[in-house]
Amino acid sequence: MKAVETALQELLKSDPKLLEIFREFCWGKIEIVVKDGKPVMVSVRRDIKLE
C-alpha cells in the first residue's frame, strides 16, 4: 500500500484544489473505487465528531 500512499501524496501536491475539497469535508470518510486505473465511483460518509 506504500505505493498508493505515495501516489496520493503526489496527487495532493499537484492538485491543491483536491486538498481544498478534503478540508471542506472536515470529518468523515471518502472512498474512491478505482477500475483499470481510473476512478469509477466515490462514496462519501460524513460523520459528526462529538467532543
Side-chain angles (χ1 to χ4, degrees), residues 5-37:
E5 291 168 8
T6 302
L8 183 57
Q9 289 173 351
E10 289 302 315
L11 176 63
L12 292 176
K13 285 181 193 173
S14 65
D15 192 353
K17 194 110 174 131
L18 189 58
L19 188 56
E20 287 178 32
I21 292 169
F22 289 162
R23 284 188 179 138
E24 277 183 37
F25 187 69
C26 293
W27 191 262
K29 294 183 180 183
I30 300 172
E31 182 179 288
I32 302 170
V33 177
V34 177
K35 184 176 182 180
D36 297 328

